Amino acid sequence: MRISSIAKSIVAGLAAGATATVTAVQDGVLDTGEGITIVLAMLGAWGITWAVPNKPSTPPHGPAGV
């Protein structure tokens, strides 16, 4: 299965943002600092995931490495 770098980074950013959001709203209030943390978590995940290349695919080997 081949996943593009764009799709991979979008999913990573959404996951990081969702995690930060859940943590931030546990007290029932979302303030400016928490909002900035959510945005930075998403941007950081997007940037890091975009920068790391996908593992190159290698053809599968038959039995005994043939």
Side-chain angles (χ1 to χ4, degrees):
M1 179 162 94
R2 213 165 141 83
I3 300 174
S4 72
S5 295
I6 295 171
K8 184 175 68 167
S9 69
I10 289 171
V11 170
L14 291 176
T19 302
T21 302
V22 167
T23 303
V25 299
Q26 285 183 354
D27 61 356
V29 178
L30 184 65
D31 62 12
T32 305
E34 292 168 336
I36 291 171
T37 300
I38 293 166
V39 171
L40 289 177
M42 292 177 73
L43 291 175
W46 283 333
I48 290 170
T49 308
W50 182 269
V52 175
N54 289 338
K55 180 179 176 183
S57 60
T58 57
H61 298 289
V66 176

